[in-house]
Amino acid sequence: MKPLDNQKLAQSIVENLGGENNISNLTNCITRLRIDLKSRSNVDLEALKQLEGILSVIDQGTIQIVLGPGKVTKVANEIHENTTISVEVEEEEDNSEFDMASDTKASYKAKQTSMFQQLFRHIGNIFVPIVPGLVASGLMLGIANLITNLANPDAGILDPSVLETDWFMLLSAIGNLLFGSLGVFVGINTAREFGGTMVLGGITGLLIYAPVLGDVDSLSLFGIDLNLSPGLGGLLGVIAAAYLFTQIEKFTRKRMADSLDLVFTPLITVMAGSLITIVLIQPLAGLLMDGITWFLVDVMLQTGGILGGYVLAATFLPLVTVGMHQGLIPVHLELINQYGSTTLLPILAMAGGGQVGAMIAIYIKAENKRLKNTVASVLPVGFLGIGEPLIYGVSLPLGRPFITACLGAGFGGAFLSLFSVGAITVGPSGVVLIPLIADNKYLLYIIGLLISYAGGFILTYLFGYKEEMVEKLYGKETMKTKAATPTQQEETIINSPLSGELRPLNELSDEVFATESVGRGIAIFPSEGKLYAPADGKVTTVFPTGHAIGITTDNGMELLLHLGLDTVDIKDNVFEVNVTKGEEVKKGRLLCTFDMKAIAGKGFDRTSPIVITNSDDYTEIAPVNHKQIEAGDKLFTVK
């Protein structure tokens, strides 16, 4: 398919967004257009995704059309010049630039529109805010359990009397606080999620776990004999009851006089909601929870054994990509409530181990420098149990490594299923889960994690990666085998725009520049607050803050001169720009002055990346091999 020129691409974007009259606001930053629409009725996002030149379309309320550095400005200009749409330059630059991980994740989340996917998204919004408390409480209980084990007479390490001390009893009590009140927090978050009064949602948590239900034991209502018990239906029952309370409250409030609303709306909500909860929600939620735990624990783990453990670990990450994994949080918590630990969580945690092993294999086999840098940047957090950068940044865009990582993780899950390794709370995975393992089975969990690392590594190394797959991330032109055109063989000299100390990009703290996502180049730690034109050309970008200037040279090279890291967040007048967008400049022209002390004083790194954003058009970009450089000296040799 022949690529569209920028004017036709701009026209097609506007048409597929329902026409210029349907666009209420359009903003462009360094990599993407952000569009707010008046109506969705005539919008065709699928057609947008098929247009040549568009890297990604993300729908999160505001439509984001990712075009990449340079091109986004040209397309935005075409829209501005050929329509009545006012195009704004975003003052707060998108720090992620073209962040493969965030864009892939957002694209997958944008596709999660089915009823079940929306349900699991709601469940995630209810439980995710509680997770930090669960982790803290779990760690406190883990410490208390460790002390209990060390105080065992058979261990002979601590005096058993330590278990009777006030500080130990206080430690245990604080660790149990959240678990004893968890239903209340779930009810509050559910009401907030669905637009109800939070305290009424909290009452549902108190109702489901009320001790009086055990005292009453049985109740006859409307000719129906009900068996009552505290906790029947578990946290799923709390969510359903809180949702019911919210709907009753909204229904009643619409029909209640304002003078009576404060008194009678909550009264009717609690009375009617409690009745329906006891008669209907608790029994049904109890059956549903029993069915889920029966399938996952009795069928998959106890009956399925090794095979069940393998399948659970191998299929967990596909659930993550469609948002369904959040639905397992109440299941874990119910297992902890019933059995004291969840054997499901450590097995599912092996999925992240498979991804880590796959990343190591890709790093060893990859020849592409950008990919290796990306892998190196995401691996540390992968060991800590944070898998999203690995999944969305590398394995899922590549495709095959995602599959081999999942299959490799299954071996770790199979191993753990043999020994019923459990966790005392939900939260982290990876090595961070080790202190939360129940019954002192830490070594078994570590062995399982190592097996998942090895499984993901071996399968990915043997079957999951080929260098040609890099094209999926960076396009065909990034391959070293690309034939250079005659003009690319011509040598071009780019002079240094700054005086200072040279530093390689891969040493920068900013991942986008360090992984060369924007382009190849070098960084300069400036010794003087003056930025000069590195070549003859045209100023194509001047950001409002003055922290970044783009120049296209006379032979088509696109240069990005970025003063400092994350300096878009500086709102004071630190940068004084001496050129305007569209202005022709000669090599050595003073473009900008800046206050180095002010940048450092505000806590920002003044190391300045100088990159060629269309570096894929060139076969060789060779920075000089110096430690120090003066403005005007040779910085790059480009072919």
Side-chain angles (χ1 to χ4, degrees), residues 103-122:
D103 288 334
T104 303
K105 178 180 178 180
S107 297
Y108 268 79
K109 286 195 172 183
K111 298 174 183 176
Q112 295 172 20
T113 57
S114 73
M115 181 179 66
F116 284 108
Q117 289 167 332
Q118 292 294 337
L119 171 62
F120 291 126
R121 183 178 297 180
H122 286 306

Side-chain angles (χ1 to χ4, degrees), residues 400-415:
R400 195 185 299 178
F402 180 76
I403 297 173
T404 53
C406 291
L407 295 175
F411 294 106
F415 174 81

Side-chain angles (χ1 to χ4, degrees), residues 168-181:
F168 177 81
M169 289 188 288
L170 186 60
L171 176 69
S172 300
I174 294 174
N176 277 298
L177 281 176
L178 178 58
F179 293 101
S181 309

Side-chain angles (χ1 to χ4, degrees), residues 314 317-318 321 350-363 365-366 371 375 387 390-410 452-453 455-473:
L317 286 185
T321 62
M350 297 299 100
Q355 291 291 317
V356 169
M359 291 302 105
I360 297 173
I362 292 173
Y363 185 83
K365 294 196 70 175
L371 180 59
V375 172
L390 287 70
I391 300 169
Y392 295 109
V394 182
S395 68
L396 196 56
L398 285 174
R400 195 185 299 178
F402 180 76
I403 297 173
T404 53
C406 291
L407 295 175
S452 69
Y453 291 161
F457 174 85
I458 294 171
L459 291 181
T460 303
Y461 191 89
L462 295 178
F463 310 109
Y465 179 81
K466 293 183 179 179
E467 190 65 20
E468 292 80 6
M469 297 166 64
V470 180
E471 297 176 11
K472 290 188 176 183
L473 284 179

Side-chain angles (χ1 to χ4, degrees), residues 239-282:
I239 294 172
Y243 176 79
L244 171 68
F245 273 41
T246 298
Q247 299 309 309
I248 294 175
E249 179 188 4
K250 291 179 178 179
F251 179 86
T252 305
R253 178 159 287 130
K254 287 180 180 180
R255 293 157 178 81
M256 185 66 63
D258 291 344
S259 59
L260 303 176
D261 178 66
L262 180 62
V263 175
F264 287 101
T265 296
L267 176 62
I268 294 171
T269 298
V270 174
M271 291 186 65
S274 298
L275 179 62
I276 298 173
T277 296
I278 293 173
V279 173
L280 190 62
I281 289 179
Q282 275 197 288

Side-chain angles (χ1 to χ4, degrees), residues 204-509:
T204 64
L206 295 172
L207 174 63
I208 294 288
Y209 291 95
V212 70
L213 296 177
D215 297 335
V216 175
D217 189 40
S218 63
L219 185 67
S220 180
L221 286 175
F222 311 115
I224 303 174
D225 293 327
L226 301 172
N227 293 320
L228 306 182
S229 63
L232 180 63
L235 295 176
L236 287 183
V238 175
I239 294 172
Y243 176 79
L244 171 68
F245 273 41
T246 298
Q247 299 309 309
I248 294 175
E249 179 188 4
K250 291 179 178 179
F251 179 86
T252 305
R253 178 159 287 130
K254 287 180 180 180
R255 293 157 178 81
M256 185 66 63
D258 291 344
S259 59
L260 303 176
D261 178 66
L262 180 62
V263 175
F264 287 101
T265 296
L267 176 62
I268 294 171
T269 298
V270 174
M271 291 186 65
S274 298
L275 179 62
I276 298 173
T277 296
I278 293 173
V279 173
L280 190 62
I281 289 179
Q282 275 197 288
L284 292 179
L287 289 174
L288 178 60
M289 184 61 75
D290 288 344
I292 294 173
T293 55
W294 169 79
F295 176 75
L296 292 174
V297 178
D298 295 349
V299 175
M300 295 298 294
L301 294 182
Q302 294 183 5
T303 303
I306 295 176
L307 179 60
Y310 182 93
V311 171
L312 288 172
T315 57
F316 181 62
L317 286 185
L319 295 181
V320 173
T321 62
V322 295
M324 296 176 66
H325 63 300
Q326 305 287 9
L328 293 175
I329 297 178
V331 178
H332 292 312
L333 294 173
E334 187 63 24
L335 290 174
I336 293 169
N337 183 53
Q338 291 185 22
Y339 306 110
S341 65
T342 167
T343 55
L344 189 60
L345 180 59
I347 289 175
L348 299 182
M350 297 299 100
Q355 291 291 317
V356 169
M359 291 302 105
I360 297 173
I362 292 173
Y363 185 83
I364 292 174
K365 294 196 70 175
E367 298 176 7
N368 185 278
K369 184 179 178 181
R370 291 174 64 185
L371 180 59
K372 290 177 77 77
N373 287 337
T374 300
V375 172
S377 67
V378 300
L379 255 180
V381 296
F383 283 107
L384 298 177
I386 303 172
E388 289 187 339
L390 287 70
I391 300 169
Y392 295 109
V394 182
S395 68
L396 196 56
L398 285 174
R400 195 185 299 178
F402 180 76
I403 297 173
T404 53
C406 291
L407 295 175
F411 294 106
F415 174 81
L416 292 186
S417 68
L418 288 173
F419 300 98
S420 299
V421 177
I424 60 176
T425 188
V426 300
S429 59
V431 297
V432 185
L433 185 59
I434 293 174
L436 303 178
I437 295 300
D439 303 322
N440 300 320
K441 295 183 179 180
Y442 309 114
L443 181 59
L444 290 173
Y445 175 77
I446 293 172
I447 293 173
L449 197 57
L450 293 175
I451 291 173
S452 69
Y453 291 161
F457 174 85
I458 294 171
L459 291 181
T460 303
Y461 191 89
L462 295 178
F463 310 109
Y465 179 81
K466 293 183 179 179
E467 190 65 20
E468 292 80 6
M469 297 166 64
V470 180
E471 297 176 11
K472 290 188 176 183
L473 284 179
Y474 305 120
K476 295 181 179 180
E477 293 185 343
T478 61
M479 303 301 294
K480 295 181 179 180
T481 57
K482 178 192 173 187
T485 63
T487 57
Q488 291 168 339
Q489 294 296 339
E490 297 176 2
E491 185 174 277
T492 301
I493 302 297
I494 299 298
N495 290 348
S496 177
L498 295 163
S499 298
E501 177 185 332
L502 293 177
R503 296 179 179 179
L505 290 180
N506 61 14
E507 292 183 0
L508 300 186
S509 59

